[in-house]
Amino acid sequence: MDQTNILEAQMLTKVYEDGLCALDHVSFSVKAGEIFCLLGDNGAGKTTTINLFLGFLNPTEGVAIINGIDVAKDPLAAKQHVAYLSDVVMLYPNFTARQNLDFFARLGGRQNLKRDDYYNVLRQVGLQEKAFEQRLKGFSKGMRQKVGLAIAIVKEAPAIILDEPTSGLDPKAANEFLAILHQLRAQGRAILISTHDIFRAKEISDTVGIMSEGKLLAMKTRAELEHENLEKLYLDYIQGKVAA
Amino acid sequence: MLKILLEKELRDIIYSTKFAITFAAAAVLVLLSFYVGIRNYHESVREFEAAKATNAASIAAATDWRQVQNRVFRKPQPLEVLVNGVTNDVGRTTDMRASGELTLINSRFSADPLFAVFRFLDLNFVVIIVFSLFAILFGYDAINGEKESGTLKLVFSNKVSRASFIMSKLLGSVIALGVPLLVPLLIGCLMLLGLGVPMSGDEWIQLGLLIFAGLLSFGVFLTLSIMISAMVTRSSVSFLLSLVVWIFSVLIVPKGSVLLASQIASAPSMDAIESQKRKFTADQMTRRMAAMQQWFSSRSVGMDTSFTSKFAAFQDSSTKSFEKERQEFYGRLNEDWRNKKDWQEQWAFGISRVSPTAVFQIAAMNLSGTDVGMKFRYLKELDRYQDSYAKFIQAKTGSTADYMRVIIRRFSTAQSDEDKQKTLNPSELPEFVVQPRPLGSTIAASLFDLGLLVVLNALFFGGAFFAFLRFDLR
Amino acid sequence: MWKTIAEKELRDHLQSTRFLVAASVSTLLIVMSIWLGITHYKARVAQYEQGVQMMLDLASQQTNWMMVSPTAWRKVRSEYSDDPMLAAFQFLDPTFVVLIVLSLIAILFTYNAVNGEKESGTLKLVFANRVSKAEYIVGKLVGSWLAILAPVLISFLVGVLLLVLLGVNLSASSWGQYAIFVLASILYATCFMLLGVFVSALTHRSSVSFLILLVVWICAVLIVPKAATMLAGRAMPVPTVDEIESKLASYSSQTRTEGMTAIMKRSRELYRSGSEMKPEYRQKMFATLQQEIEAKRKEMEQQITEYSARVYEDYYNQKSGQELLAFSLAKLSPASQFQLATMKLSGTDVALKKRYEDAMKEYKTQYSNYAQQKGGGGGISIRMSAGRGTPSASMTGPTQTKIDVSEMPKFKDPEYSFGTSVVGAFFDLGLLMLFNVFAFVGAFVAFLRFDMR
């Protein structure tokens, strides 16, 4: 087992009780300091993959490994090493940004953070100072996303999984978001992103995996994508014009 | 345009899970309340007949009208079972005497405290609790829910006026919810017909008005919650508000108003009145005794045949005069008390009318004849009957005296033993028939509350309308 | 870890508008109901004292004990029957507020406890950490429980304050009952809270779980108790009081008529034979006749009393059977468990009437013994002596001395000790506890099986 592979999927397969094959022998790995993008339309199996990594589902076949720990075998230990940002980031509307962060930081095992530590993280993700102690009730989607990202950062886990992080963000917010991702990559985190946003996927990923109907059809590195039209490639794969 | 919106509203409501669940619950409860009510009615009629029969049998077993302890029973009315009102709290049995004050004893709840614990499930209860909840569940997010789901903006990106939108919303909700509710209610009416509950034409009209009042009170809560929904931007808040309004108007205001009224307008307790009456009676008794003593001492009577009749005649006249005196005194006392009580009730009901639930309940009780006045109306009927009963007893026994009966009997049995072989025929007794309250006065009594319900409907309808015209669509 | 979650849960509740509104409404209502209870209690006590005083005044006016009809205040007469206005809307007491409002609030707090977190995405966020499901649900339940506890405890503490400030003297055992009442309220609210979490862990949409809970609430609080008693009434019919009474009346009139006939027959016989006797024998014969009649009458009364005792015992047995069935059925709902427990606790349960009737019966014998001894004879008596020569009628009337009411035996309220009340309530509270355990296990298991995706 390659120790630099922080996140690793080996022949991951998930067949639901109703016979639906949501994931079909998917294998990939994300090294430290790498951003891996799962690209695919709705129902391609991106969220299922993430659910398997977080132990919300048990794989029918194959294993999901975080930092060398098989998630299915020891989900709690594995989750010690991963931070997560969900696609729906409503968070706790009655809590302030800091209170939300505080709660999740303590869940993530960081018990003794001070108020200033939280403020630093919130500053880092670019939330306005005045929003730190405001309830999330009045926050826009972009602001909530920032708090969500702060929650993922504050855990200081080697792996970060982001589910559709840029959907619904305006370009400015999305760009800020990507800048932070770059920072995290520079810190040596392994980052797994699911998205259907082709342009940003190309912009930030080290590797892009194209998924359709539960299959990982192709994996392209940044160098390979340099000269290709990802959009065309994506559509071709999905429509089955290119064999996997 | 209105038609399209209206159609959408109807579809939106009728195809929702919320509607399926709540409507099923409401329908089951309505039918259950009718069924239980009908069974209860038959049961009480059976009890009533049985009690009457035993009473008749005990009369038939007696040989002298003076021995008879006649009892009169309150006949169950069909509408009582749909709106219990106070009917289970008021006594059903009266010991009929030719003189003296009549009282009602053995109310259903005092005879069966078991039922008093949880009380009964009647239509009135279902309307008050379930219908109003049903209305709120559909009204609370009628406007702000559409805003939250974004459909409001979508709708208004078209050529739609606010007036037509809110109009269709209100009408659509009322139709989509009100018409289905009518179905179990009508089935209930059919059950009344099918399960053999005898109802007069007047009673059918009253029942019709009752159902109408039920729908009106449903409408009040529906328009009220839609109004709240148009005044508050978040549906969670409007839900909370509606629920608080519900708790207050269904549970708190009616009870609170009664307690408040007894603080504002005090009436002497029943015990105080009772005590006064007892004092009077005791006093009368003393005077009567004295008179009797005088009568005895005024003549050195012998045990001749004329003694009995003379004694009876004396007793009779003294009973009559004392009874008249008692009636006057009691009447004055009762009337005075009744006036104070009336005043208190007016306060109580006046305050409680803040809540539409109470308005409905007052109307419903009036329509079904189970309102607070029922006891006094019934007592009046009893008083009327007492007169004819006294006449009858007078004719039969030559005396209406009550407590001296035993003595007389000892004399009479001693004298005529052939007499006691003849048993009595209970059918000779004048029959106690309660005149049904005329439809006109029933309706007149409930007209104010019905009108109030209509006004409240209109008020909240208008409120919702204008609140929406000012609603922030952003 | 569960502590962190419990803390978050509690804080989440405390900071919500929902909590603010619900807690203030429930506090207001509980405090108001306790206050109303106190005023009403005071009014009733005043009325009671007034009643007793009036009765005594009245009695002291009288010259003969036979003229006095003491009324044992409280009586079997119901307040509702005197005052139908109260019956129209019934009463507002703390039990009612807890029964309706607290349960509704418990549901309101927890209907989206689990599926709401799923809807807002926080469930996944939480479980992306090293948190086990068991830890999470325990923390969640503890936090929600504390949030519900807060308004309950506050309002009952204010209630204590009111009781003290308004000078209602409660005995130590009454305070004990109060404490148990608070405990019962908490148990009851907990039950609905657990039920709320349970249902919210069974369904994935909070709107659905709310609807289900509302239906459950309506059934548990409003339908089951009523339906249970009505069902029991149908399953085990008990003769009505009217039937019993007319049965008794016809029996006693029959016995009396028979007895009277026998007496009459005997006295006529003796009279006929006596007319030929010498006066001194006749006198003696009349004396024996008198004795015979007296004996016969006693026997008759005895018979009637025995018969009525038998009939009533039978009646009460049937009734308690019916009650048992009704309450067993009703206890399917935590609302009835709570209500029955509190009624037993405060001594206002169904047996209240029976207890008072028994006490009254006892008092009646006591009193009539006393009156007998004081005034002799039953009722006004007119003694007839129909001798041959000088028939005369005389009447014993009232003597003219006023009577002393202080000698009169006092009616004592039936004993209803703290012990009895607690023991009575204990079973229902135990049942409520059991229900809590079930709901807890239900919520726990349902959450362990909850699909977090």
Side-chain angles (χ1 to χ4, degrees), chain B residues 18 21-22 29 36 39 43 47 50-51 54 71 73 86 89 93 106 110-115 117-121 125 129 133 137 239-240 243-244 246-247 251-252 254-255 258-259 263 269-272 274-275 278-279 282 285 289 293 296 301 303 337 341 344-345 348-349 352 358 361 365 372 375 407 410-411 413 417 420, chain C residues 18 21 25 28-29 32 36 39 47 54 58 62 67 69 71 73 75 77 80-92 96 100 104 108 210-211 214-215 217-218 222-223 225-226 229-230 233-234 240-243 245-246 260-261 264 268 315 319 322-323 326-327 330 336 339 343 350 353 380 382 384 391 393 395 397:
Chain B
K18 185 154 88 170
I21 296 179
T22 47
L29 286 174
V36 163
R39 291 299 297 266
E43 181 80 0
E47 274 176 21
T54 18
R71 293 189 136 185
F73 307 94
V86 301
D89 296 288
T93 310
N106 284 344
S110 83
D112 279 324
L114 174 65
F115 293 115
V117 178
F118 302 120
R119 304 180 79 94
F120 282 103
L121 174 74
F125 175 83
I129 306 268
L133 217 52
L137 278 181
F239 179 68
L240 265 180
L243 207 62
V244 170
W246 183 82
I247 289 181
L251 306 173
I252 311 300
K255 286 161 199 274
V258 171
L259 294 171
Q263 305 275 330
S269 73
M270 195 68 187
D271 283 334
E274 194 94 309
S275 174
R278 200 170 301 118
K279 198 168 174 174
M285 189 75 151
M289 285 294 211
Q293 233 167 358
F296 269 112
V301 275
M303 276 297 284
W337 185 72
K341 212 69 206 161
Q344 196 182 42
E345 267 156 31
F349 291 142
S352 77
Q361 201 177 347
M365 289 193 307
V372 180
K375 185 180 172 187
I407 305 157
R410 283 188 190 165
F411 278 109
T413 31
D417 37 345
K420 70 179 162 69
Chain C
R18 176 161 81 173
V21 173
V25 167
L28 181 80
L29 287 178
M32 192 172 96
L36 281 172
T39 2
Q47 217 176 73
M54 256 190 236
L58 204 57
Q62 297 302 329
M67 313 279 295
S69 58
T71 315
W73 251 258
K75 300 189 289 186
R77 210 180 57 207
Y80 282 168
S81 155
D82 288 346
D83 199 348
M85 183 180 81
L86 290 174
F89 294 133
Q90 296 173 54
F91 242 84
L92 182 70
F96 171 80
I100 304 272
L104 209 55
L108 212 57
F210 182 71
L211 274 178
L214 206 63
V215 172
W217 181 82
I218 291 181
L222 307 172
I223 311 296
K226 286 166 199 273
T229 43
M230 287 187 330
R234 188 148 324 289
T240 61
V241 188
D242 287 335
E243 277 166 350
E245 280 180 3
S246 43
M260 267 312 187
T261 324
M264 282 299 167
R268 230 171 283 127
Y315 173 66
K319 247 189 140 54
Q322 189 191 42
E323 264 159 34
F327 290 153
S336 345
Q339 205 177 345
M343 281 189 339
V350 193
K353 187 184 167 190
I380 323 127
I382 300 179
M384 304 284 178
M395 181 181 159

Side-chain angles (χ1 to χ4, degrees), chain C residues 196-439:
Chain C
V197 177
F198 179 40
V199 174
S200 101
L202 281 179
T203 48
H204 283 265
R205 277 170 47 218
S206 60
S207 57
V208 174
S209 63
F210 182 71
L211 274 178
I212 293 177
L213 281 166
L214 206 63
V215 172
V216 168
W217 181 82
I218 291 181
C219 284
V221 177
L222 307 172
I223 311 296
V224 170
K226 286 166 199 273
T229 43
M230 287 187 330
L231 214 65
R234 188 148 324 289
M236 297 177 85
V238 167
T240 61
V241 188
D242 287 335
E243 277 166 350
I244 295 281
E245 280 180 3
S246 43
K247 201 168 155 189
L248 286 180
S250 72
Y251 179 82
S252 71
S253 87
Q254 197 192 339
T255 322
R256 286 211 176 93
T257 321
E258 274 168 19
M260 267 312 187
T261 324
I263 289 172
M264 282 299 167
K265 217 171 124 196
R266 176 93 182 114
S267 57
R268 230 171 283 127
E269 267 170 33
L270 284 177
Y271 193 71
R272 277 197 204 102
S273 60
S275 55
E276 288 127 32
M277 273 183 207
K278 286 180 186 157
E280 58 264 37
Y281 285 120
R282 203 162 58 200
Q283 206 65 35
K284 217 169 148 193
M285 190 202 71
F286 269 123
T288 43
L289 175 65
Q290 201 81 37
Q291 272 170 6
E292 260 176 54
I293 290 176
E294 203 56 41
K296 183 80 189 161
R297 220 175 51 194
K298 279 229 171 86
E299 188 197 316
M300 246 157 52
E301 293 305 322
Q302 179 95 19
Q303 248 177 325
I304 291 170
T305 324
E306 270 169 17
Y307 181 75
S308 93
R310 231 179 14 251
V311 167
Y312 269 111
E313 199 189 314
D314 198 36
Y315 173 66
Y316 279 122
N317 282 343
Q318 273 178 300
K319 247 189 140 54
S320 55
Q322 189 191 42
E323 264 159 34
L324 194 69
L325 179 66
F327 290 153
S328 313
L329 283 175
K331 276 173 193 163
L332 284 176
S333 143
S336 345
Q337 291 163 7
F338 170 74
Q339 205 177 345
L340 293 173
T342 54
M343 281 189 339
K344 288 228 184 76
L345 203 58
S346 53
T348 52
D349 55 330
V350 193
L352 172 76
K353 187 184 167 190
K354 179 86 173 35
R355 277 202 303 276
Y356 264 91
E357 275 173 353
D358 286 349
M360 222 95 87
K361 230 182 269 168
E362 201 174 308
Y363 178 66
K364 207 170 132 194
T365 5
Q366 205 184 348
Y367 178 77
S368 63
N369 282 344
Y370 173 77
Q372 199 96 42
Q373 176 197 328
K374 276 283 164 190
I380 323 127
S381 54
I382 300 179
R383 296 217 174 88
M384 304 284 178
S385 52
R388 207 184 216 176
T390 53
S392 70
S394 75
M395 181 181 159
T396 54
T399 47
Q400 293 306 317
T401 44
K402 301 253 169 183
I403 54 181
D404 179 11
V405 282
S406 61
E407 304 170 12
M408 201 169 73
K410 296 245 164 15
F411 176 69
K412 271 204 215 71
D413 280 336
E415 286 274 321
Y416 194 66
S417 70
F418 180 61
T420 347
S421 74
V422 173
V423 169
F426 201 71
F427 176 72
D428 291 315
L429 287 183
L431 212 59
L432 200 55
M433 193 84 95
L434 199 69
F435 225 81
N436 269 303
V437 172
F438 280 141

Side-chain angles (χ1 to χ4, degrees), chain B residues 66 303-309 408-420, chain C residues 264 268:
Chain B
R66 278 167 289 217
M303 276 297 284
D304 54 358
T305 38
S306 68
F307 172 76
T308 338
S309 59
I408 299 290
R409 204 181 69 203
R410 283 188 190 165
F411 278 109
S412 55
T413 31
Q415 281 165 357
S416 53
D417 37 345
E418 65 278 8
D419 218 27
K420 70 179 162 69
Chain C
M264 282 299 167
R268 230 171 283 127

Side-chain angles (χ1 to χ4, degrees), chain B residues 20 35 41 58 63 67 76 124 182 185 272-273 283 297 307 320 351 365 383 385 393 403 415 417 437 446 448 471:
Chain B
Y35 177 72
Y41 172 72
S58 81
T63 51
Q67 284 177 289
N124 174 51
L182 208 56
L185 287 170
I273 300 286
D283 181 48
S297 56
F307 172 76
K320 255 190 202 140
I351 299 170
M365 289 193 307
D383 282 342
Y385 177 67
I393 290 295
Y403 64 99
Q415 281 165 357
D417 37 345
R437 202 177 178 196
S446 54
F448 175 72
F471 189 73

Side-chain angles (χ1 to χ4, degrees), chain A residues 16 51 54 56-57 76 79-80 82 84 86 88 90-92 94-95 99 103-104 106-108 135 137 155, chain C residues 1 4-5 7-8 11-12 15-17 117 119-122 124-132 452-453:
Chain A
Y16 288 115
N51 281 336
L54 293 171
F56 297 156
L57 287 175
L76 290 188
K79 282 191 250 184
Q80 191 66 27
V82 65
Y84 168 69
S86 63
V88 190
M90 297 302 292
L91 299 173
Y92 293 112
N94 293 318
F95 280 7
Q99 283 173 333
F103 171 62
F104 284 106
R106 285 195 286 157
L107 279 190
R135 292 194 193 190
K137 268 179 190 167
K155 191 171 176 182
Chain C
M1 193 59 83
T4 317
I5 294 160
E7 194 191 316
K8 167 244 134 196
R11 192 190 296 238
D12 191 15
Q15 291 183 357
S16 66
T17 333
E117 293 235 18
E119 282 169 342
S120 68
T122 42
K124 276 183 168 186
L125 274 184
V126 168
F127 282 100
N129 293 298
R130 197 189 171 135
V131 177
S132 74
M452 273 180 294
R453 287 170 298 138

Side-chain angles (χ1 to χ4, degrees), chain A residues 151-162:
Chain A
I151 287 170
I153 291 170
V154 85
K155 191 171 176 182
E156 296 193 332
I160 298 176
I161 296 175
L162 307 168

